[in-house]
Amino acid sequence: MDRLVVADVKEVDITFKRKLKSSASFRLTNLMHTMPVAVSLVSSNPTTFSFSHPFSVIPPLSTSTFVLQLTQISDKPPTCAASTSSSSSPTITVRSSMLPTGKGNADELKRLFSRPGPHVFKDAVLPVTLVGPDMAEFMIGAGQSETLESVARLRKSIGGCSVAQLTTLLRIAVANGKGDFSRVLIDAGADVNWRGPGEESLVSLAVKSGSVEILLDLIASGAKIDQSTDLVLHEAARMNSVELMEVLVQGFPEIDPCLVDVNGQNAIHVSARLGDVEAIKFLISIGGDADVADANGYTPLHFAAAEGCKEAVELLLDACSFVKYAVTKDKKTAFVLAVDDGHSHLFDVLHIGDALLKAAAVGDEHMIKRCLADGADVNGRDQNGWTPLHRAAFKGKVESVKVLVGGGAKVDAVDDAGYTPLHCAIEAGHVEVATFLVAHGASGQLKSVKGIVSEKMVECFKGHPALASPLICKNRDLV
């Protein structure tokens, strides 16, 4: 025989209760038919767990009940019992010894088990586990990892929970991004659509946690949003997550990308402030309004400019209508905000490029040089694809043309209609400009929008063999 008594459980589960006494009972049965058995119970953490009667005598074939209790009342479980690792869990060691007399006081039994030898049997080692709603809440909110053991303990802990308790635990799990725990609670019957007054939806909490996994589980379980209060795209934007946005749009086809918060800002405002170009692109692609101004007159472009994100600024300029010139309530354009924050790399795209285009058109060589010195893009384009060189050539401003070419202007830049600066000069009849451009590498193989060299172009260059020759070669019938 290798043991004298048998326990009715394989582990002892104590329902942990905050600031209340916590205990659990288990039973031991004497397997001997004729002999009483002395029993010794030893806790691996005696300062944490204790027995009212660590020594006892069980009559033949009888069963006795034992109570294990936490030694202290606390609002947190003891560290030794909070771990979900089986290797570090507290235990109870059950030892036994035959007791022919069937009698013995506590001191006598203590002496009996203090002498090692074959008379002492080690009948069981029972793990001790803390369970219950309070323990479940601690596990979910204390940053414990989601292992197989912790998930199993959570299942055990919520066995007697009401729907309200399960739902409260689910909100904690979702807010903490605990996907495995959340799934256990959903499967156990937690309500995915309950929320108290003024509380956020579980979908909002999932987005804030950044968990795509939890968000998908909630959608699959029938979770809903209220667009009057749940600005989930705003939250996804704050998380810099296009993936969350995609899941939201697929899960809630009715979602409105133009919704604004109490400050009048939509999700694009949020992404612009963070410089998240991919999020801005996505939000615009689903119908988000990049032109809208918030309560203080700030557009997404204002925020992108203030943060110095050039890629976001360029994207918003392409997507918006005249927003470059929008002013806030305190009369600031996006350019002014960039200046205020020292983002000089934005000056050209937000303002200096405009000044350069204007200077080129009016022939203000001094301003052209100043703009170039300040960092203006000599090959920047207007809404029609015209560069400063296009404008100067069309207006016949030869000195401006010279400054621009000297500053690196591309002589064969093509606008949205297929025109180069040389083409503009020829169409406007500016021979001197055209001569300069050809001399500096501009191609004479010019085509109009219809692909035909115009009579006006040929007439303009009669007597200018260097220019007329390529034109004549291109269209002899017009000469």
Side-chain angles (χ1 to χ4, degrees):
M1 175 176 288
D2 58 356
R3 58 180 176 173
L4 301 180
V5 298
V6 62
D8 67 335
V9 294
K10 293 184 178 180
E11 61 182 294
V12 178
D13 296 331
I14 295 181
T15 299
F16 171 71
K17 299 176 182 179
R18 289 194 188 92
K19 299 182 179 181
L20 295 174
K21 291 182 179 180
S22 301
S23 62
S25 62
F26 61 97
R27 294 183 297 172
L28 297 175
T29 299
N30 181 356
L31 298 177
M32 302 295 293
H33 288 70
T34 60
M35 187 76 68
V37 171
V39 173
S40 168
L41 302 177
V42 179
S43 168
S44 62
N45 301 86
T47 59
T48 303
F49 298 99
S50 62
F51 300 92
S52 55
H53 301 288
F55 299 99
S56 184
V57 177
I58 305 177
L61 296 180
S62 297
T63 298
S64 294
T65 298
F66 299 85
V67 177
L68 176 69
Q69 58 191 14
L70 281 174
T71 56
Q72 295 181 346
I73 296 174
S74 174
D75 60 347
K76 291 183 180 180
T79 303
C80 65
S83 171
T84 56
S85 171
S86 58
S87 61
S88 59
S89 295
T91 58
I92 301 168
T93 299
V94 179
R95 297 187 300 163
S96 63
S97 178
M98 288 183 285
L99 192 65
T101 64
K103 296 180 181 180
N105 58 38
D107 290 337
E108 291 171 338
L109 294 177
K110 184 176 182 179
R111 284 194 295 271
L112 174 66
F113 287 105
S114 66
R115 301 190 305 270
H119 66 286
V120 176
F121 290 76
K122 185 176 180 179
D123 293 276
V125 176
L126 304 176
V128 178
T129 304
L130 296 185
V131 298
D134 288 348
M135 187 63 199
E137 183 174 339
F138 175 81
M139 291 172 58
I140 294 169
Q144 289 195 359
S145 59
E146 296 176 292
T147 64
L148 291 176
E149 291 173 329
S150 65
V151 170
R153 181 189 286 194
L154 180 65
R155 286 196 180 95
K156 182 182 294 186
S157 294
I158 63 175
C161 286
S162 65
V163 172
Q165 288 175 313
L166 291 172
T167 302
T168 297
L169 292 172
L170 177 60
R171 293 185 66 83
I172 298 171
V174 171
N176 283 278
K178 300 294 182 68
D180 291 339
F181 288 168
S182 297
R183 196 170 299 112
V184 168
L185 293 161
I186 291 172
D187 290 344
D191 187 346
V192 297
N193 284 309
W194 182 90
R195 64 170 107 178
E199 289 187 329
E200 298 174 279
S201 68
L202 280 173
V203 173
S204 290
L205 292 177
V207 173
K208 283 186 174 182
S209 77
S211 176
V212 173
E213 174 192 9
I214 295 177
L215 182 57
L216 287 169
D217 284 342
L218 289 172
I219 292 172
S221 301
K224 302 184 184 305
I225 59 172
D226 179 351
Q227 294 205 71
S228 66
T229 57
D230 298 321
L231 300 176
V232 288
L233 285 178
H234 288 68
E235 299 301 340
R238 290 187 182 94
M239 298 300 297
N240 290 92
S241 177
V242 174
E243 187 177 8
L244 284 171
M245 293 180 188
E246 290 173 338
V247 173
L248 287 168
V249 171
Q250 292 171 2
F252 305 102
E254 74 281 6
I255 202 166
D256 183 359
C258 294
L259 285 175
V260 297
D261 61 17
V262 294
N263 298 313
Q265 297 174 7
N266 62 18
I268 300 179
H269 281 93
V270 178
S271 294
R273 184 185 289 113
L274 298 173
D276 189 343
V277 175
E278 293 306 313
I280 295 171
K281 288 180 181 177
F282 178 79
L283 290 166
I284 291 174
S285 73
I286 62 172
D289 186 356
D291 280 306
V292 69
D294 69 8
N296 292 312
Y298 280 68
T299 66
L301 180 63
H302 284 99
F303 285 125
E307 295 300 325
C309 182
K310 185 175 183 180
E311 192 175 357
V313 165
E314 291 175 335
L315 172 60
L316 289 165
L317 286 173
D318 287 340
C320 300
S321 305
F322 307 112
V323 74
K324 181 192 293 189
Y325 310 105
V327 294
T328 63
K329 281 190 173 180
D330 50 1
K331 307 302 180 184
K332 291 187 177 183
T333 63
F335 171 75
V336 171
L337 291 175
V339 172
D340 288 347
D341 292 303
H343 301 308
S344 58
H345 60 291
L346 298 180
F347 292 176
D348 176 64
V349 68
L350 288 173
H351 180 73
I352 299 176
D354 291 345
L356 178 58
L357 286 164
K358 182 177 180 180
V362 299
D364 188 342
E365 296 90 38
H366 176 74
M367 180 57 72
I368 291 173
K369 292 176 182 178
R370 179 179 174 182
C371 289
L372 294 178
D374 286 343
D377 183 359
V378 72
N379 292 302
R381 297 173 180 273
D382 66 9
Q383 67 273 19
N384 298 311
W386 274 29
T387 66
L389 188 57
H390 280 89
R391 290 196 175 192
F394 184 73
K395 292 291 187 177
K397 306 299 182 181
V398 66
E399 294 303 321
S400 294
V401 168
K402 291 177 180 179
V403 173
L404 291 167
V405 172
K410 296 178 181 178
V411 294
D412 283 330
V414 178
D415 71 4
D416 295 347
Y419 282 71
T420 66
L422 178 56
H423 196 161
C424 293
I426 292 172
E427 285 289 341
H430 300 304
V431 176
E432 187 178 1
V433 171
T435 302
F436 178 85
L437 290 172
V438 171
H440 285 78
S443 174
Q445 304 296 327
L446 299 175
K447 292 183 179 182
S448 68
V449 177
K450 295 181 179 179
I452 302 173
V453 179
S454 71
E455 294 184 15
K456 184 176 181 180
M457 292 162 63
V458 175
E459 287 294 326
C460 181
F461 289 98
K462 283 184 178 179
H464 297 275
L467 296 175
S469 294
L471 295 173
I472 293 170
C473 291
K474 216 41 194 169
N475 198 330
R476 293 181 182 278
D477 294 339
L478 293 177
V479 182

